[in-house]
Amino acid sequence: MSCKVNGEIRSGRPSHADRRACEFADGPSATRVASEDAFFSRRAPFPTSLRRLWNPRHGRQGFLGSRLWVVALLMCWGRALGETSVSPDQIEFFEKKIRPVLSERCYSCHSAGAEKLKGGLRLDSRDGLLKGGDTGPAFVPGSAATSLLLKAIRYEDTDLKMPPKSRLPDAVIKDVSDWVAMGAPWPREAVASSAKGEKFDLEERRLKHWAWQPVAPRRLPQGMAPGSFLSGIDAWIAVRHRELGLKAAPLADKAVLLRRLSFDLIGMPPTRQELEAFQADASPNAWEKQVDRLLASPHFGERWARHWLDLARYSETLGHEFDYPQYNAWRYRDYLVRSFNQDLPYAQLVTEHVAGDLISPPRWNAAEHFNESILGTSIYWLGQREHSPVDIRVHQAEVVDNQIDVLTKSFLGVTVACARCHDHKFDAISTRDYYALFGILGSSRYSQASIDPADLNGGAIEKAAAAKSSLRASVAQAWVEKLGSLHVSNLVALAGAGDPVHAPGSLRPSDRLFVDFGTASAPGWFPEGEALAAGLAKPGDFVPGSSNRPIASLVSKPQIHSGVRGRRLQGVLRSPTFELSHPYVHILAAGRGTRVSLPVHNFTMIRDPIYGALRRPIASESAHWITMNVGMWKGLQGYLEFCDLTTPDLADDVQRERLSPEGWFAVHRIVFSNESSPPPSTSPESSLEPEALRTRLISIARKWGSRAEVVPDELRSLAVALDRGILNFEPGALPARASADLAEWVRLENNLVEPRRSSALVEGTGLDEKVFVRGNPKTPGELVSRRFLEALGGTAKPPMREGSGRLDLARHMTDPANPLFTRVLVNRVWLQLFGRGIVPTPDDFGVLGQPPSHPELLDWLADWFRTEGGGSIKQLLRLMALSEAYRRSSATHDVATEAKDPMNLTWHRMPIKRLQGEAIRDSMLTLSRRLDRAMYGTPVPIHLTDFMEGRGRPSRSGPLDGGGRRSVYVEVRRNFVSPMMRAFDTPVPFTTVGLRTVSNVPAQSLILMNDPFVVAQARGWAAHVLSRGRMADTERIAFLYEEAFSRRPTPEERDRALRFLTEQRADSGGVVSHAGDDGAARGAKVELAAWSDLCHVLFNVKEFIFIP
Amino acid sequence: MNLHAYPCQRRGPQPLTRREMLQRCANGFGGLALAGLLSETGNLLRAETGGASAPNAIGMRPSHFAPKARNVIFLYMDGGPSQVDTFDPKPRLNREHGKPFGLKMEPTQFNNNGNTFGCPWEFNRHGQSGLPVSTLFPHVAGCADDLCVIRSMTANFSEHTNANYFLHTGLGLSGRPSVGAWVSYGLGSQNRNLPGFVVLNGGLIPPGGLENFGSGFLPATFQGSVFKAGLKPVANIQPLESSSRRQQDKLALMRELDQTWVDRLGPVDHVESAIANYELAFRMQAAVPELMDIRGESPATRALYGLDAPYDHTRTFGLQCLMARRLTERGVRFIELTCPPAGGDRWDQHGGLKAGHQNNARAVDQPIAGLLRDLKSRGLLDQTLVLWAGEFGRTPFAQGSDGRDHNPFGFSVWLAGGGVKGGLAYGATDDYGYKSVENIVHMHDLHATMLHLLGIDHTRLTVRFGGRDMRLTDVHGEIVHSILA
């Protein structure tokens, strides 16, 4: 069923509203007017005040309001029809049988007295029934049988069962049915005024909450001379101190500062040499030089990418039951590392996340020449995915919900996902906003997209085509000769051939032709990849075969073909979104080693047991019908995807399949049908006499060889001859020149390379989404245009019509006038340096978040960042790092100040920060000299302990020490997260987490005390310090202290460590020695054991993980 | 500016301020560490790190009202046992066995629905209450008067992973805290040497993985500690040093070095909490082996739990049940048991129902009865809430010829001890045992009721995350008062 809504054809499961609109088209004229008005008013909503007149409770929503207006008209109609004759008997029946039941079983949720009105439905008046709730009228006079009220009490629908706790007794259900059949007679009585409904006034909320207000232009506090501070940071921090009578802590010493900065910017400790150099640098800009040095370090991007990975809920597997892989996820991690290192302007970074696939031209990676921009869109697919959801639409709702959640929290700091089921409880965000974004994401699709230039193989393809072209004449000549000598019996066999490509026959009554590439162009399709870049395959071109039979056939009719442009080229063809209107989809296709699938509501992880029918291999080189039985999903939306890629899709098990680059598919025709069998071909056409056929074939072969125009029917005869093996292609029988051409062609085609790929979001058919009433996709409400949030001006701009609308969305989001965009970013950066955000809830700037402690500072930074700072995160970090606030000591310095601001909410000193798990691990690797500084690439497999169990556990464990690679390069498997990272609060990857918990659990101590990784790094560090030649123990101890803590030990610490070494040596004297050890070897062992113990203790000292 | 503008977002005492800490700890570092250990109520990290709080898991926190139960033992029947074959007799199924199913069938996981499938076991009435229990559970049947069977459970998901997350966290996706995490967050632990939420793993990790026992957005403190069967049940619990003295020497050095640093720095709450954390870790090194050492249990007790049973999976689960009792005695708040790998694929009998359910029941029946009897004889059952539940039930119609598919629309769970009525069958499914129709108990209601029994108001146990005050029961949940003793 497809409904005409607002002038555009929208296929898909019709909503209640649509259904009504369609029904009304045949109904009474009064209702037709009403429905047209409803659609009219969606385009031009009433002013708020007017809408309230219509419905005080729901007046906020233009379309919903007008839907209710339809209902209001219906009510008048219903009243006119239904209230004419209410007899005393009927009233008595109501009072005796019905009202008590309503009162007892319904009113606690559905009356004026309800503590909280559920579903917007009131059952304490007849008007309430007629008006109904969120899912529509409880009953419509004259059609009692279809009444929602009866449906609900009969428990007919799993999702609508009332009363929820227990079904009413059958006798009562019958009473209610009878009563409804009477027209629901109700005595005239006063109606109690409205139940406590929550008002939602978006504009009022927008005006009242600080975060929606424009960013104020930069200014300094009154009375502060512009030159007296380095930047607004210190001015606004100082003014708060002055107001409260606080004394700011003195600046920290150089060693503390360098250690702090080094961890903050690159996540690793400074070396002794770096510290020495800084100590020795007496120049006035010594600190600035350190800041710039660290910002320029390649390790900077690794550290800061990890913060972003927390926002992106980054994982390299899909979680759920079997924890399937998310192919090429690591490219997104590398993208972030490079982006931060290159200091990609923030607006560009966000634009690439939102719509990197649509940026033209994209940003090309200078060194390796691939498309960087599209990599940003990987973020959408890093969430968890189910392999076999029972309800595909609910599953889509979950996936998109998570995408909206991540998108809006990460870049806007608002919780739009809270508006999935109802208007946001606190913020100026409506369900319409939510489904406006849903439409944008629902109109976008998953792809393993090529990140190489579109003409990756361009030159090679041209050369191969030239070789192919000169080959053609030789082949034709060979065929002409062969045809001349062919035995007549072969020609007879050829004569009767009919085939579905050329003789399609006529469609049956229930057949609907979706596309025929042979006869008409097909707008709205989405070809992707070099294989399909030339459009339809040209008749006469070679269809590639295997290596000993390079030419399998000829293209005889226009078709989509992923092999003829180059047999190793790859491509994906996606159809427009369509409604699954018929139970069968018949696809006339050919190919090998490829597949066709039908993602329903963008569900691409198509696997058995439920979804196997939606995916078929294409494994026959002759055109053949492939039939999908899609009856189970009738009424839903989907698209067809023909896939010729060597990268597995989400339905593949990579271990099982190694997809060949030699695969190809050809698509001719697609028919939707009620018939389970494909449309029959017409019977074979009448044929020529064998000798006439011979003459004809020879003439066609000549024509083909000379590149003259050959019509499809003629080519077909040649193609059929090839198909039947009557003609064939024998490389050995070719003349020398042709053999050389052949060899050259094959060689050139073998040189074609596979593109690199990344999971990406790409465009699909642009379709608006309907509001899911109470978040339930089974109760669709009004259609919402694709647009940005209303509170940020989304309704003031024209709705998105072209494609998904993501590029527009990116423009809206990154608009400098969007106050959330820059505030959220500067707050995130501040949080990492200063331990707490100016807004302490970095992912929630809404009413339930916490307000900024220094609002003027927040705006000063935001304004600076969008203007002078040019959107540069490195410049922003530099500005912050150069401030006095950042350079203060963290030691307690003034009792009175501590007393007044014990929680240090004004940054009167620097908070002490605990290192994140990644930095702890990386520090240990640095000291043990095990660190491998290699950057980028596929992840190091996760080390599996005995405690990491469950389905989807990899068959092999990765190395204990992750090969020495930095933590950011260690594999993140959603169901097998590193226990060390988890214990130290690396977030579970399920949604955006901008503020990590800092917990304090025994598992942390147990890891630092007893984990073999930690013990091994301590030993490595000890071995290093012992390898540095002859040194006094005191010197060695000083060395360890400088490496671990960027300072020398105090005399007490030194002496205590010396005593410890003595004790440990004495202790291991008896333990380590073995028979046969010579003295020196035993001594070395004892020494290593003692120093390992000391190193291990230093890892466990709090100063190692708490950075002052 | 109000310096206390950041209210504690969870109920319970306000965190100690630095000043209070300084005053309390005027006697110096040692006293401070001690205070850290003893107070242990605190939300010690909030101030400096701005909201990402990490209340210490160890230590008691007051409940909202007087609790009936002190701890929970959750016998998690992974895979979904069949209600009509265990605690919800439906004679009509046997009468119509092999005939087309009489009700509309909802979509199923495998979409391979067969005919009505009768129960292969008999039901008998047991105890004074006459509660019907099938012959799958001869031992548990002997405890019928302690069981409160809810026959009208409903859940939202037909698929294991979603359903497991839903059962454990109240949401069908990963990322939320598990019930056990909520309970230990709400109440803290009564044992300073052990975590508050322990999962005794019988050998199967449910679909959805360890996230079923996760702490979600609660601090890692509250996540379930999975104890493996065997001598080393906890990760990194075994010191690697060659002697315990050697480790103690190291810890002694560590403490002194910590002290000199903190002396210079001035007292910092979360550094001191981290120091105290080592004390706990050190004690756990001793407490865990002591827990696992059952040499002191009498032969009668061992036999009661089936530790000498011929079936190895009975012995496995028996040991888990015994451990559960020992953990209860030690004050661990929430103990969850996962199943041993009996019967092929858990309770998930898509085919071969008879053999599969028989094996699963055989593994758990005697140990569960042993646990109930042992708790009772020690006076512990009154304060321990025992929950027996799978993530859903099974279809009353066949999958293929001899299996049952998943059924979240109506299934049975039971509770025992801890403030619930014994010998009760509450709620009902339809004549086929397919869908709940009477006194329907939704998963959120079960959670709300469990929290209620522990003295927690489920609407007030919240933590703010992502712009909402998150609850185990989301925006749902009603206490099932009729089953409360």
Side-chain angles (χ1 to χ4, degrees), chain A residues 57-94:
Chain A
R57 197 161 47 76
H58 281 282
R60 67 194 182 267
Q61 295 180 340
F63 186 45
L64 185 55
S66 53
R67 266 184 69 206
L68 289 164
W69 186 32
V70 178
V71 174
L73 282 175
L74 278 169
M75 280 165 55
C76 302
W77 183 49
R79 214 173 271 264
L81 290 175
E83 259 191 21
T84 44
S85 55
V86 177
S87 73
D89 286 354
Q90 288 179 332
I91 294 300
E92 191 189 338
F93 182 82
F94 170 74

Side-chain angles (χ1 to χ4, degrees), chain B residues 24-37:
Chain B
R24 276 171 78 159
C25 305
N27 53 346
F29 172 79
L32 186 58
L34 185 64
L37 275 175

Side-chain angles (χ1 to χ4, degrees), chain A residues 507-520:
Chain A
L507 296 178
R508 297 156 300 183
S510 85
D511 290 344
R512 198 190 119 208
L513 182 69
F514 182 49
V515 71
D516 186 342
F517 290 109
T519 57

Side-chain angles (χ1 to χ4, degrees), chain A residues 937-989:
Chain A
T938 50
V940 184
I942 183 79
H943 174 70
L944 297 166
T945 70
D946 292 347
F947 293 86
M948 296 159 78
E949 290 185 87
R951 294 186 170 195
R953 186 182 204 264
S955 53
R956 282 219 305 251
S957 172
L960 173 67
D961 62 4
R965 298 287 301 281
R966 287 200 75 178
S967 305
V968 76
Y969 299 117
V970 175
E971 188 179 33
V972 183
R973 295 191 83 91
R974 192 162 247 120
N975 288 6
F976 302 90
V977 174
S978 153
M980 179 176 177
M981 293 308 116
R982 187 69 195 104
F984 283 102
D985 301 297
T986 299
V988 181

